[in-house]
Short mmCIF file of all heavy atoms in Angstrom, two decimals:
data_model
loop_
_atom_site.label_atom_id
_atom_site.label_comp_id
_atom_site.label_asym_id
_atom_site.label_seq_id
_atom_site.Cartn_x
_atom_site.Cartn_y
_atom_site.Cartn_z
N ARG I 6 -21.65 0.26 -5.86
CA ARG I 6 -20.47 -0.48 -5.41
C ARG I 6 -19.92 -1.28 -6.58
O ARG I 6 -20.65 -2.05 -7.21
CB ARG I 6 -20.90 -1.42 -4.29
CG ARG I 6 -19.80 -2.20 -3.63
CD ARG I 6 -20.40 -3.10 -2.59
NE ARG I 6 -21.10 -2.33 -1.58
CZ ARG I 6 -20.94 -2.48 -0.27
NH1 ARG I 6 -20.10 -3.39 0.18
NH2 ARG I 6 -21.61 -1.74 0.58
N GLU I 9 -15.78 -5.16 -3.77
CA GLU I 9 -15.40 -5.12 -2.36
C GLU I 9 -14.28 -6.10 -2.08
O GLU I 9 -14.39 -7.30 -2.35
CB GLU I 9 -16.62 -5.42 -1.46
CG GLU I 9 -16.22 -5.45 0.01
CD GLU I 9 -17.31 -5.08 0.99
OE1 GLU I 9 -18.47 -4.88 0.55
OE2 GLU I 9 -16.99 -5.00 2.19
N ALA I 12 -9.93 -5.19 2.53
CA ALA I 12 -9.69 -3.99 3.33
C ALA I 12 -10.26 -2.71 2.71
O ALA I 12 -10.24 -1.66 3.33
CB ALA I 12 -8.19 -3.81 3.57
N PRO I 19 -17.05 10.33 -8.77
CA PRO I 19 -17.84 11.54 -9.05
C PRO I 19 -17.74 12.00 -10.51
O PRO I 19 -18.60 12.72 -10.98
CB PRO I 19 -17.24 12.58 -8.11
CG PRO I 19 -15.87 12.09 -7.78
CD PRO I 19 -15.90 10.60 -7.89
N PHE I 27 -12.66 3.31 -0.74
CA PHE I 27 -13.07 3.45 0.66
C PHE I 27 -12.24 2.50 1.51
O PHE I 27 -12.18 1.29 1.24
CB PHE I 27 -14.57 3.12 0.76
CG PHE I 27 -15.12 3.13 2.16
CD1 PHE I 27 -15.77 4.26 2.67
CD2 PHE I 27 -15.00 2.01 2.99
CE1 PHE I 27 -16.29 4.26 3.96
CE2 PHE I 27 -15.51 2.02 4.29
CZ PHE I 27 -16.16 3.14 4.78
N HIS I 40 -9.18 -12.64 10.98
CA HIS I 40 -9.95 -11.45 10.63
C HIS I 40 -10.39 -10.70 11.89
O HIS I 40 -10.81 -11.32 12.86
CB HIS I 40 -11.19 -11.87 9.80
CG HIS I 40 -12.05 -10.70 9.42
ND1 HIS I 40 -13.41 -10.73 9.41
CD2 HIS I 40 -11.71 -9.45 9.04
CE1 HIS I 40 -13.90 -9.56 9.05
NE2 HIS I 40 -12.89 -8.76 8.82
N ILE I 43 -10.44 -3.40 13.36
CA ILE I 43 -9.60 -2.55 14.22
C ILE I 43 -9.98 -1.10 13.95
O ILE I 43 -9.62 -0.53 12.92
CB ILE I 43 -8.10 -2.82 13.97
CG1 ILE I 43 -7.82 -4.32 14.22
CG2 ILE I 43 -7.25 -1.93 14.87
CD1 ILE I 43 -6.38 -4.73 14.06
N VAL I 48 -8.96 4.90 8.49
CA VAL I 48 -8.70 6.35 8.47
C VAL I 48 -7.19 6.60 8.35
O VAL I 48 -6.74 7.43 7.55
CB VAL I 48 -9.27 7.01 9.75
CG1 VAL I 48 -8.89 8.48 9.82
CG2 VAL I 48 -10.78 6.85 9.80
N GLY I 65 7.29 12.36 -10.10
CA GLY I 65 7.01 12.06 -11.50
C GLY I 65 6.59 10.62 -11.72
O GLY I 65 6.56 10.14 -12.86
N ARG I 77 -12.19 8.55 5.10
CA ARG I 77 -12.02 7.16 4.66
C ARG I 77 -11.98 6.97 3.15
O ARG I 77 -11.85 5.84 2.68
CB ARG I 77 -13.19 6.31 5.19
CG ARG I 77 -13.09 6.02 6.65
CD ARG I 77 -14.21 5.13 7.11
NE ARG I 77 -14.10 5.00 8.54
CZ ARG I 77 -13.33 4.11 9.13
NH1 ARG I 77 -12.62 3.25 8.43
NH2 ARG I 77 -13.25 4.06 10.45
N GLU I 90 0.79 -8.99 -7.65
CA GLU I 90 1.24 -8.26 -6.47
C GLU I 90 2.76 -8.24 -6.57
O GLU I 90 3.40 -9.29 -6.71
CB GLU I 90 0.77 -8.96 -5.20
CG GLU I 90 -0.74 -9.03 -5.11
CD GLU I 90 -1.28 -9.28 -3.71
OE1 GLU I 90 -0.51 -9.66 -2.82
OE2 GLU I 90 -2.50 -9.10 -3.54
N GLU I 126 -8.38 -17.40 -4.47
CA GLU I 126 -8.71 -18.83 -4.45
C GLU I 126 -7.46 -19.69 -4.44
O GLU I 126 -7.48 -20.85 -4.01
CB GLU I 126 -9.53 -19.23 -5.69
CG GLU I 126 -10.83 -18.48 -5.88
CD GLU I 126 -10.69 -17.21 -6.73
OE1 GLU I 126 -10.06 -16.24 -6.26
OE2 GLU I 126 -11.19 -17.20 -7.86
N ILE I 158 10.67 3.41 -6.65
CA ILE I 158 9.79 3.63 -5.49
C ILE I 158 10.46 3.11 -4.22
O ILE I 158 10.43 3.76 -3.18
CB ILE I 158 8.41 2.97 -5.73
CG1 ILE I 158 7.70 3.66 -6.91
CG2 ILE I 158 7.54 3.02 -4.47
CD1 ILE I 158 6.47 2.93 -7.43
N LEU I 165 12.78 8.06 2.40
CA LEU I 165 11.72 8.81 3.09
C LEU I 165 11.55 8.28 4.52
O LEU I 165 11.51 9.04 5.49
CB LEU I 165 10.41 8.66 2.31
CG LEU I 165 9.19 9.37 2.89
CD1 LEU I 165 9.13 10.80 2.43
CD2 LEU I 165 7.90 8.66 2.48
N VAL I 174 11.36 -2.49 5.43
CA VAL I 174 11.80 -3.89 5.34
C VAL I 174 11.37 -4.50 4.01
O VAL I 174 12.17 -5.06 3.27
CB VAL I 174 11.21 -4.69 6.54
CG1 VAL I 174 11.49 -6.18 6.41
CG2 VAL I 174 11.77 -4.13 7.84
N LEU I 183 -3.50 2.65 -17.36
CA LEU I 183 -4.35 3.83 -17.53
C LEU I 183 -4.41 4.13 -19.02
O LEU I 183 -3.39 4.40 -19.65
CB LEU I 183 -3.76 5.02 -16.75
CG LEU I 183 -4.48 6.34 -16.92
CD1 LEU I 183 -5.88 6.28 -16.30
CD2 LEU I 183 -3.68 7.47 -16.25
N SER I 201 0.44 -2.86 3.97
CA SER I 201 1.06 -3.52 2.82
C SER I 201 2.58 -3.37 2.83
O SER I 201 3.23 -3.62 1.82
CB SER I 201 0.49 -2.94 1.53
OG SER I 201 0.73 -1.55 1.47
N LEU I 204 7.44 -2.04 8.40
CA LEU I 204 8.14 -0.83 8.84
C LEU I 204 8.65 -1.06 10.26
O LEU I 204 7.86 -1.34 11.16
CB LEU I 204 7.16 0.36 8.80
CG LEU I 204 6.45 0.62 7.46
CD1 LEU I 204 5.32 1.62 7.63
CD2 LEU I 204 7.45 1.11 6.42
N SER I 209 14.84 0.73 17.99
CA SER I 209 14.32 -0.34 18.86
C SER I 209 13.96 -1.59 18.08
O SER I 209 13.80 -2.67 18.66
CB SER I 209 13.08 0.16 19.61
OG SER I 209 12.04 0.40 18.68
N ILE I 226 -3.05 0.22 16.17
CA ILE I 226 -3.44 1.61 15.91
C ILE I 226 -2.34 2.58 16.37
O ILE I 226 -1.98 3.52 15.66
CB ILE I 226 -4.80 1.93 16.57
CG1 ILE I 226 -5.92 1.22 15.81
CG2 ILE I 226 -5.07 3.44 16.65
CD1 ILE I 226 -6.11 1.69 14.35
N TYR I 229 0.42 2.55 13.78
CA TYR I 229 0.08 3.27 12.55
C TYR I 229 0.08 4.78 12.82
O TYR I 229 0.49 5.57 11.98
CB TYR I 229 -1.28 2.83 12.01
CG TYR I 229 -1.32 1.46 11.32
CD1 TYR I 229 -0.45 0.44 11.69
CD2 TYR I 229 -2.22 1.19 10.30
CE1 TYR I 229 -0.49 -0.80 11.07
CE2 TYR I 229 -2.27 -0.04 9.67
CZ TYR I 229 -1.41 -1.04 10.07
OH TYR I 229 -1.46 -2.26 9.45
N ASN I 240 -3.66 14.66 12.17
CA ASN I 240 -4.94 13.99 12.36
C ASN I 240 -6.09 14.92 11.98
O ASN I 240 -5.99 16.13 12.14
CB ASN I 240 -5.12 13.57 13.81
CG ASN I 240 -4.55 12.19 14.05
OD1 ASN I 240 -4.59 11.34 13.17
ND2 ASN I 240 -4.04 11.98 15.23
N LEU I 245 -4.87 22.06 11.74
CA LEU I 245 -3.94 21.82 10.64
C LEU I 245 -2.60 22.50 10.87
O LEU I 245 -1.56 21.99 10.49
CB LEU I 245 -4.55 22.29 9.32
CG LEU I 245 -5.39 21.23 8.62
CD1 LEU I 245 -5.99 21.77 7.35
CD2 LEU I 245 -4.58 19.98 8.32
N PRO I 247 -0.26 24.21 13.94
CA PRO I 247 -0.21 24.48 15.38
C PRO I 247 -0.26 25.98 15.61
O PRO I 247 0.18 26.76 14.77
CB PRO I 247 1.15 23.89 15.79
CG PRO I 247 1.92 23.73 14.53
CD PRO I 247 0.96 23.63 13.40
#
Side-chain angles (χ1 to χ4, degrees):
R6 184 182 300 229
E9 177 152 5
F27 176 97
H40 179 219
I43 302 181
V48 174
R77 285 183 185 275
E90 299 199 347
E126 302 91 291
I158 295 168
L165 180 86
V174 173
L183 176 66
S201 59
L204 305 168
S209 66
I226 288 296
Y229 284 30
N240 272 327
L245 272 178

